[in-house]
């Protein structure tokens, strides 16, 4: 189900001191989209790269990107001697190249992740500065046509709070036939499972062994 999405500036890929951002963005600045409204400042220079990342995250959350294998490979350097092993001639780097500073770690770090990493990012189209934004899910979307889905998700959350440890079937049984079938969207095992997974992504619930328990706060 749709998510509220936050885009947060985490760094400049190039030299912002020599080529200052003409939009005067500062690290930490952010904007959000909830399915209807954008809150925050958006430079025209990020529109081209922003929209695909926000669209995908809005509909699929961080899981849309967690299977991109390159994100788990760390940094690398060209090394023709390694071609006999990898086929193209690269070797892993244990640390960032000298002189790269913090910029090399904005998108990927030398460390090999031990857990899956979801989410994505985008950089502005001005290659002199390249402001880089992290795209994150921070809540369930409630704007525009997402409101019925938000209300359904919140109703499911209330059932889980009332009786921790509910399975998908247990959640469905907490609603009457009329509540399940006559309120849009109608509830079934597939969309209830998806709603529980999405509620877990933004920390409303925790799923353990097919059972849902109340979580913390969204974000």
């Amino acid at each position: 189900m749709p998510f509220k999405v936050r885009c947060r500036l985490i760094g400049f890929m190039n030299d912002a001191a020599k080529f200052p951002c003409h939009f005067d963005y500062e690290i930490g600045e952010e904007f959000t989209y909830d399915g209807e409204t954008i809150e925050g400042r958006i430079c025209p220079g990020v529109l081209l790269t922003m929209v695909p990342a926000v669209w995908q995250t809005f509909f699929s959350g961080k899981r849309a990107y967690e299977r991109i294998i390159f994100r788990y490979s760390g940094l690398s350097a060209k090394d023709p001697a390694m071609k006999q092993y990898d086929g193209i001639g690269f070797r892993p780097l244990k640390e960032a190249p000298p002189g790269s500073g913090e910029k090399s770690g904005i998108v990927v770090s030398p460390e090999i992740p031990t857990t899956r990493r979801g989410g994505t990012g985008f950089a502005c189209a001005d290659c002199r500065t390249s402001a880089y934004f992290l795209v994150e899910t921070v809540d369930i979307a409630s704007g525009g046509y997402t409101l019925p889905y938000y209300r359904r998700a919140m109703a499911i959350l209330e059932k889980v709070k009332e009786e921790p440890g509910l399975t998908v079937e247990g959640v469905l049984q907490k609603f009457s036939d009329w509540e399940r079938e006559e309120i849009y969207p109608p509830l079934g095992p597939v969309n209830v499972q998806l709603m529980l997974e999405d509620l877990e992504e933004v920390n409303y619930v925790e799923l353990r062994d097919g059972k849902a328990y109340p979580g913390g706060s969204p974000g």
Side-chain angles (χ1 to χ4, degrees), residues 90-173:
F90 279 85
R91 59 179 171 82
L93 290 177
K94 301 298 189 294
E95 57 185 22
S100 61
E102 298 179 354
K103 293 182 175 60
S104 62
I106 292 176
V107 179
V108 64
S109 64
E111 293 79 17
I112 304 301
T114 56
T115 59
R116 291 190 180 189
R117 290 183 174 178
T120 187
F122 60 87
C124 76
D126 188 342
C127 61
R128 298 169 300 175
T129 304
S130 295
Y132 192 85
F133 289 81
L134 183 66
V135 183
E136 307 167 295
T137 56
V138 293
D139 206 339
I140 302 299
S142 59
Y145 68 68
T146 70
L147 183 57
Y149 296 90
Y150 175 83
R151 289 187 172 184
R152 278 302 211 182
M154 293 300 105
I156 290 172
L157 176 60
E158 289 306 311
K159 303 298 184 186
V160 172
K161 287 181 177 179
E162 292 169 3
E163 187 176 330
L166 287 174
T167 62
V168 169
E169 184 59 34
V171 169
L172 287 168
Q173 291 177 0

Side-chain angles (χ1 to χ4, degrees), residues 10 26 29 41 80 83 121 129 161 193 205 207 213:
I10 61 172
E26 295 183 1
E29 194 163 345
R41 302 191 312 132
K83 186 174 183 178
T129 304
K161 287 181 177 179
Q193 179 67 49
V205 304
L207 300 179
Y213 300 86

Side-chain angles (χ1 to χ4, degrees), residues 32-208:
T32 61
Y33 176 64
D34 70 351
E36 181 177 30
T37 304
I38 293 175
E39 294 185 359
R41 302 191 312 132
I42 299 179
C43 172
V46 305
L47 290 174
L48 181 65
T49 52
M50 176 197 82
V51 171
V54 170
W55 185 91
Q56 186 71 69
T57 305
F58 174 74
F59 283 110
S60 303
K62 65 182 181 181
R63 290 185 295 275
Y65 297 91
E66 69 179 12
R67 296 187 62 84
I68 298 177
I69 197 68
F70 307 107
R71 307 183 73 178
Y72 306 95
S73 304
L75 300 175
S76 60
K78 190 75 172 175
D79 187 345
M82 299 300 291
K83 186 174 183 178
Q84 60 179 313
Y85 302 104
D86 74 342
I88 57 175
F90 279 85
R91 59 179 171 82
L93 290 177
K94 301 298 189 294
E95 57 185 22
S100 61
E102 298 179 354
K103 293 182 175 60
S104 62
I106 292 176
V107 179
V108 64
S109 64
E111 293 79 17
I112 304 301
T114 56
T115 59
R116 291 190 180 189
R117 290 183 174 178
T120 187
F122 60 87
C124 76
D126 188 342
C127 61
R128 298 169 300 175
T129 304
S130 295
Y132 192 85
F133 289 81
L134 183 66
V135 183
E136 307 167 295
T137 56
V138 293
D139 206 339
I140 302 299
S142 59
Y145 68 68
T146 70
L147 183 57
Y149 296 90
Y150 175 83
R151 289 187 172 184
R152 278 302 211 182
M154 293 300 105
I156 290 172
L157 176 60
E158 289 306 311
K159 303 298 184 186
V160 172
K161 287 181 177 179
E162 292 169 3
E163 187 176 330
L166 287 174
T167 62
V168 169
E169 184 59 34
V171 169
L172 287 168
Q173 291 177 0
K174 291 296 179 180
F175 294 90
S176 68
D177 290 347
W178 187 90
E179 289 172 326
R180 287 195 305 270
E181 299 170 7
E182 302 302 327
I183 300 174
Y184 183 82
L187 295 179
V190 175
N191 63 1
V192 168
Q193 179 67 49
L194 289 173
M195 289 182 191
L196 287 173
E197 291 174 2
D198 291 348
L199 285 167
E200 182 182 44
E201 177 162 332
V202 290
N203 300 322
Y204 277 118
V205 304
E206 180 182 350
L207 300 179
R208 300 195 302 268

